Structure formats: structure tokens, C-alpha cells
Amino acid sequence: MRRIGWAASAAGLALALALAGCEAGSRAAATPMPPVKRLVLITIDTLRADHVGVYGGPVPTPAMNGLAAEGARVTGAYTPTPSTAPAHASLFTGLHPWHHGVLENAVPLVGVPLLAEHVQRAGIPTAAFVSSYILHPRFGLGRGFDTYHFAPSRPYVWRTGPVPEFWAQGDETTDAALAWIDAEPRERFFLWVHYFDPHDPYRPPPGFEQPRDQPISLQGKSLPPQIRSFAQLAALNRGYRGEVAFVDAQVGRLIEGLRSRGLLDNAAVILTADHGEGLGDHGWLTHGENLFEEQVRVPLLVRAPGVPAGRVLEGLAQLEDLAPTALHLLGVPVPPGLDGHDLVPWMRGEATSSPRHVVLGRRKPKPPKPELFYEQRGAEKWIGTRDSVGVVFDLAADPREAHAHAGEEPPAALAKSLATGTVVAGSRLLDPESRRALQALGYLGDGEERPEESGR
Ligand SMILES: [Zn+2]
């Protein structure tokens, strides 16, 4: 069993910073920067990196582009799993899914210390504003937040039927976050805002529909099982783009709300996504089904003191890295034993390359399809089962992952990480009240818990 210490102490901070320096490899001499006063983490559900304007995407996204212009953009950021709760659990624990134990949605995260707990313990006010039932505090991510706001107002059609109050639209979440900011003056805070809008169904609010004659390239796409025609697939892609435009407007409202209140001074903003979306690539509409780029590559933008404006970071990162990165920025000790790396020296130019040389990830079993893993090193991406030879893609020559080559045994970094096992086996146990609530909402059958991320 792995042991992770989260004791906050000056000695711990010194050790953690020293370790961070070792990880970063060669680095220029740098004057330590003081901690930021405020850190704002924005996670956007279901946002493919390649649909963000600054990543070359088809949606202008001026707010996200502006964030990239004021800070750093990581070109190779990945989720360890294309599923909401396990991906957010990795972000908040700094651990791979097979180490924190949340391997699918609606499985509570227990026993593993969280980013927000550590920040709270350091005396910094914490608040979260989330927009999906999948992040309900009963699943464990509320630990460490003084305020954890979830006020669903919108229905969602789950695979078993309609759920009347499942998610909140981005403007409602932004309003709530800005109201919290205005409720009382706070010199320091850690604020997490989660948006759900790009998740299916793709029905952008009025004013954000994309023009019906907007050209939609379906190159490389094939019809997902539930889609009848390419015209319908094009319409769904158009709807998704409208949702991305809408959520970008909400990011803009939040950022400008902070700026106009003078709260962006000496503050950090981190924006990312929990996973991408199929949109017809590799024959899949939503997410959770495979480990191709459209489902696992996410945007990662970081605006922070010391990070040069407009910096483009060509290298790898994954969501696990954001816990140690956020702690470093806030001046809170980074615990040892994390799977994540502190990205701050790389982002500030104190290290010449990313401390992460390999990305690891997993997709849960989807019977009769097996549990899948991936390891990406440079442009080479391996996908396979725990004990198979798998397949390899050359992302440089074949970015659409159309030509699979025979692989070898599971690569060394993946095999070594999987061999260390999980931290908390009990994470898979639901308490009776949560089980009843989920059954009432139609998530769970009477027997095995097998909630699906999507599946309309
Ligand atoms: Zn999600």
C-alpha cells in the first residue's frame, strides 16, 4: 500500500520545493517567487483541445485565447481517463485512477487527501461551484471546500430515463461564483469552477447557435451507432461548437469579473477539461469509449505570475500534475508520493522541458470490451490491455490515429505504475444513502453499479 503524507510544515515545504527542483531537470538559477494570493481553477466538462480557437479549433473562444495570451498554453495535456469523476479525482489527488481508486462515475472518493483539503489546512478560504450531479459532494470531492455549491436546475436524459435536476447551465454557475466573491472580502482564496455545457445534449442557449450554413468537415469521421446520417452528425458537431462558444463566454464573464474587482493581480488561473468528446471520430459520439486523442487530449492554460505571456509549451502534462502545480503556486507544501509533477518551473522557464516524459491512462471495461490502458511517450502512443501486446500509433505522422501498428508488451512506465496497486480499495463502496439516491435517479440497477457517463 502506498502512503501519502500531507502534513503541512515549513520543513515539508522546503523538502517539496527541493524535490520539485530535482524533478525539473536542468534549470536556470531563479529567484523564488512569492505565493499567489488567489488561485482560480476552471474545469470544462467534455472540451476537446482541438476545438478551442487557440489550439487551432473551429470555435473562436476569445476568452480562452485571451487567457493563453496572458499565460502559458500546454500543447500536450491529457486526461488519464475519459470519464468525469475519475478524471476530476486524479486532478484533485495528483494520483492516477488506479491509485486513487475511483475507476468510474458514482464511486465515492474516500481516504485519499485532496488538493482543497491541503489548501484549507493552510488557512486559505476554499470554494467550489460545480455544474453536474457527477460531482455531487456525496462522491467525495467536496472535502476541503468551505463552500461547495451545486444547484442543478436542468434535466438530463440518462440511459435509463430522464433525470429532472441534473446539471446547471454555465451562466448560473458563473453567477453563483461571482456572488460568492462579492459576499465578503477575502485577501486569499482557492476557487474551483466547473462548467458542464459542452457535454451532450448539444443545445447551445439562444444567441450561441452556430449558423446552419457553417461548413462542418466530417473528414475522418464515421457514423456512431445512434446517428442516422452524416447530416445529423454535422448538426451535432455544430451544436457542440455552439456550446463551446457559450462556455467560453462564461469563462470570459468569470475572468473579467475577477479582473474588474482587482482580484487577478497576484493571482493564478488554470483552465483545463476533464476529457474530450468523440463527435464521430473513430465512430463514437460522446466519451468514455476509447482512448484516442479526441477523447483524452484536453486544453491546459495557465496564467500566473512569472509565467511569460503567450508562452507555448511543447511537451506533455496530465491532470494529475495540477494538484502539485496549484500547491506550488499557492505556497502550500507539495506532499511526496504523487503521480503528478509540479509544472511551475517549466511554465516559468526555469526548467527547459516538462518534468513529465510519459502520459498514462485507462478506460474502464465496457463488456464485452476489456479494460484498456494507454501510454504516450513523445509522439508514440501505445494502447492495449494489461497483458496484451497492444497497438502503437505514431501521432507525428498519423495524428488521427488511423494506422495502428503492432505493439509490444505493456510499456515499462505503465507496467510499473500498475504494479503499485490502489491506495483505497474501499473507494468502490457506496454508502447506503448514496446508493438509494442513485437508484432513485436511475443511475443504478438493483445489482451491480454500472453508471454510464453518456449513452443518450
Ligand atoms: Zn466529464
Side-chain angles (χ1 to χ4, degrees):
M1 178 175 290
R2 295 152 59 96
R3 291 204 164 272
I4 300 165
W6 286 73
S9 68
L13 174 60
L15 175 62
L17 291 176
L19 287 171
C22 292
E23 282 177 357
S26 63
R27 54 184 302 186
T31 306
M33 297 211 47
V36 299
K37 289 185 175 176
R38 293 162 288 275
L39 192 145
V40 180
L41 170 66
I42 302 170
T43 61
I44 301 176
D45 220 289
T46 321
L47 180 59
R48 283 172 66 143
D50 68 357
H51 273 54
V52 177
V54 72
Y55 280 86
V59 186
T61 63
M64 287 187 257
N65 297 2
L67 200 53
E70 293 181 3
R73 174 172 71 90
V74 177
T75 60
Y78 288 86
T79 182
T81 186
S83 183
T84 304
H88 279 92
S90 282
L91 194 163
F92 279 93
T93 60
L95 297 174
H96 297 319
W98 48 92
H99 290 155
H100 61 60
V102 177
L103 298 178
E104 57 186 309
N105 288 330
V107 171
L109 175 59
V110 299
V112 187
L114 303 177
L115 165 60
E117 288 181 290
H118 211 52
V119 175
Q120 185 183 55
R121 199 172 299 132
I124 300 171
T126 55
F129 295 82
V130 305
S131 304
S132 164
Y133 186 83
I134 297 299
L135 301 178
H136 190 289
R138 68 164 25 103
F139 301 127
L141 281 178
R143 283 190 280 124
F145 285 105
D146 306 328
T147 295
Y148 196 92
H149 177 93
F150 172 52
S153 62
R154 316 264 163 170
Y156 184 78
V157 180
W158 206 252
R159 67 189 182 101
T160 50
V163 178
E165 293 181 339
F166 186 92
W167 67 287
Q169 193 166 280
D171 51 337
E172 300 167 321
T173 304
T174 307
D175 289 345
L178 292 174
W180 176 83
I181 288 169
D182 287 335
E184 61 179 274
R186 301 175 188 87
E187 177 73 4
R188 304 196 71 191
F189 59 75
F190 169 49
L191 170 64
W192 170 35
V193 180
H194 162 261
Y195 292 113
F196 192 66
D197 304 271
H199 198 285
D200 71 299
Y202 319 121
R203 296 189 195 118
F208 290 90
E209 304 95 338
Q210 302 300 290
R212 294 182 70 85
D213 58 353
Q214 181 188 74
I216 302 283
S217 171
L218 298 178
Q219 184 190 358
K221 295 182 186 292
S222 50
L223 284 185
Q226 69 273 47
I227 304 304
R228 296 183 302 277
S229 67
F230 282 100
Q232 185 189 6
L233 184 60
L236 289 166
N237 272 265
R238 195 175 293 116
Y240 178 81
R241 294 181 186 185
E243 296 279 24
V244 173
F246 174 70
V247 82
D248 184 75
Q250 296 309 314
V251 170
R253 283 187 63 215
L254 181 65
I255 301 270
E256 292 313 311
L258 291 160
R259 197 190 311 274
S260 67
R261 291 162 174 80
L263 297 173
L264 275 190
D265 302 333
N266 201 0
V269 179
I270 299 174
L271 182 145
T272 191
D274 57 349
H275 51 75
E277 188 79 325
L279 301 175
D281 289 340
H282 296 96
W284 191 251
L285 184 63
T286 57
H287 51 272
E289 187 70 10
N290 60 48
L291 295 169
F292 293 117
E293 294 289 279
E294 63 270 15
Q295 294 199 26
V296 296
R297 183 165 169 250
V298 294
L300 176 56
L301 309 173
V302 179
R303 174 201 190 276
V307 175
R311 190 177 181 84
V312 178
L313 295 165
E314 305 272 358
L316 295 175
Q318 63 181 96
L319 296 184
E320 288 87 330
D321 302 331
L322 298 183
T325 299
L327 290 172
H328 181 160
L329 288 168
L330 285 164
V332 178
V334 179
L338 301 185
D339 294 320
H341 295 276
D342 175 8
L343 303 178
V344 173
W346 180 40
M347 292 179 163
R348 286 181 170 159
E350 298 159 9
T352 54
S353 61
S354 170
R356 174 168 294 288
H357 305 296
V358 61
V359 169
L360 305 178
R362 170 194 184 271
R363 186 214 66 186
K364 71 173 184 177
K366 314 258 300 186
K369 300 175 184 174
E371 181 181 35
L372 281 181
F373 295 90
Y374 80 103
E375 175 176 325
Q376 186 173 333
R377 184 181 294 273
E380 185 175 284
K381 183 174 175 183
W382 178 96
I383 301 176
T385 63
R386 194 181 282 262
D387 53 4
S388 71
V389 295
V391 294
V392 171
F393 294 93
D394 177 356
L395 295 178
D398 177 27
R400 288 183 176 276
E401 296 163 287
H403 306 291
H405 304 279
E408 298 177 353
E409 298 290 310
L414 177 65
K416 182 180 176 187
S417 183
L418 290 175
T420 60
T422 60
V423 177
V424 185
S427 287
R428 293 186 58 78
L429 301 176
L430 272 178
D431 64 88
E433 184 192 350
S434 293
R435 173 169 282 279
R436 277 194 297 274
L438 287 168
Q439 283 174 334
L441 283 170
Y443 285 97
L444 299 181
D446 294 332
E448 185 73 3
E449 59 193 61
R450 196 171 293 286
E452 293 292 334
E453 169 85 15
S454 298
R456 292 178 66 247

